[in-house]
Amino acid sequence: MKPHLIALSCLLSIPLLGIVYIYLNRSRGASTHSLLTDLDEQTPFLKIFIVPYLVWFVFILVCFVYLAFKNRQLYMKTLLLYNIGLVICYCIYAVYQTHVPRPEVSGTDWLSRLVQYVYNSDQPYNCFPSTHVLTSYCIMKAFASAREISRPIRLSVSTISILIILSTLFVKQYVLLDIAGAIAVVEASYFIADRVKMRNRRPAVIQELGNKRFLRMDQ
C-alpha cells in the first residue's frame, strides 16, 4: 500500500493551490469584466443541475483515487496537468477578473437551498476559465485514453463529466466562454506535455537506431 499512499498524498497539491483561489476570489471593482453573451442570457436557470454541480467534489476525488490504483502513470500525468491548468487559471484570474450575474433564488425547497448555499460560499468572480470544467474535462480525457479501464466505467465518467460541465451553465455559475477557456487550457496543457515527451524521447530513439546500425555492421 505504501506506493499507493505516496501517490495519493500528491492530491494534497489541489487544496494547497486552492489557498491561492481563496485570496483571488474577491471583487476588484471596476476592473471586473463580463463575458456574458446573448446565448448565455437565453440559457434557462435549472436548479436541478445543482446536484451534478455538487457531485463534482466527490466525483473528482473518486476518479483520482481510482486512477491511482488502476494506472498510476496516467494518474500522475492527469494530476500534474490538472495542477498546471489550475496555475494557468489563477494567473489569468490575477490579471483578468470576470464576473457572472446570478439570478435571485428565493425558494425554500431543498434544491433552492443548495443553490443558495453555493452562491453564499463562492463569490461570482474569477470564472474564466472555469476550474469546475477544467477538472471534469481533464478527468474525462484521462479515462477516455485508458483502454485498460472497462468501457462502461469510461462511459459513466464521460456522462457525469458532461453533466457537470452543463450544470455550470444551468445554475449560472459560469458562461459559455468560461467553458471554452477551460477546455482550451486542458488541450494546450496536453499538447505541450506531448511535445515535451516527444522531444525527450527523440535522443533515446536516435541512440537506439545507432546501436542497431552498429550491431548490424559488426555482424
Side-chain angles (χ1 to χ4, degrees):
M1 287 292 295
K2 187 176 180 180
H4 293 300
L5 292 175
I6 293 174
L8 289 173
S9 68
C10 295
L11 287 173
L12 293 174
S13 60
I14 298 176
L16 287 175
L17 283 173
I19 297 174
V20 179
Y21 178 77
I22 294 174
Y23 173 77
L24 292 172
N25 193 31
R26 61 188 69 181
S27 174
R28 292 200 289 271
S31 61
T32 302
H33 306 273
S34 175
L35 298 178
L36 191 71
T37 64
D38 291 339
L39 189 56
D40 290 306
E41 292 181 336
Q42 295 172 14
T43 302
F45 168 71
L46 302 174
K47 57 187 176 183
I48 187 64
F49 273 90
I50 196 63
V51 176
Y53 185 86
L54 290 174
V55 163
W56 174 84
F57 294 94
V58 177
F59 171 70
I60 296 305
L61 177 61
V62 170
C63 287
F64 269 125
V65 172
Y66 182 86
L67 282 180
F69 283 87
K70 190 71 175 181
N71 187 329
R72 195 174 308 150
Q73 183 178 1
L74 180 60
Y75 160 80
M76 294 303 296
K77 175 184 177 182
T78 305
L79 182 59
L80 176 61
L81 292 178
Y82 170 58
N83 283 329
I84 292 174
L86 281 183
V87 171
I88 293 173
C89 288
Y90 294 163
C91 288
I92 295 174
Y93 298 163
V95 298
Y96 187 80
Q97 185 180 69
T98 60
H99 167 269
V100 174
R102 292 169 170 174
E104 188 70 30
V105 182
S106 56
T108 57
D109 58 286
W110 67 277
L111 288 174
S112 296
R113 289 180 178 178
L114 284 177
V115 175
Q116 292 165 2
Y117 169 77
V118 170
Y119 285 2
N120 291 332
S121 59
D122 185 20
Q123 297 297 314
Y125 306 108
N126 300 322
C127 306
F128 176 84
S130 164
T131 53
H132 234 70
V133 174
L134 178 115
T135 318
S136 303
Y137 188 71
C138 203
I139 288 292
M140 184 169 64
K141 278 183 70 73
F143 273 76
S145 66
R147 296 305 172 185
E148 71 276 13
I149 297 177
S150 65
R151 192 166 183 267
I153 292 179
R154 286 186 280 123
L155 287 175
S156 298
V157 168
S158 294
T159 300
I160 296 174
S161 296
I162 292 171
L163 284 174
I164 291 173
I165 292 172
L166 290 175
S167 75
T168 64
L169 287 177
F170 291 128
V171 298
K172 300 299 180 177
Q173 280 288 89
Y174 297 98
V175 296
L176 287 168
L177 287 176
D178 299 331
I179 293 176
I183 293 174
V185 168
V186 174
E187 291 293 342
S189 299
Y190 267 83
F191 176 78
I192 294 172
D194 290 340
R195 294 299 291 265
V196 170
K197 183 178 179 180
M198 288 177 60
R199 182 172 295 180
N200 291 337
R201 285 182 57 188
R202 191 174 300 168
V205 172
I206 293 174
Q207 183 178 359
E208 183 179 353
L209 291 174
N211 291 338
K212 288 182 178 179
R213 185 176 301 173
F214 176 79
L215 288 174
R216 195 178 298 116
M217 291 174 62
D218 188 53
Q219 290 174 358

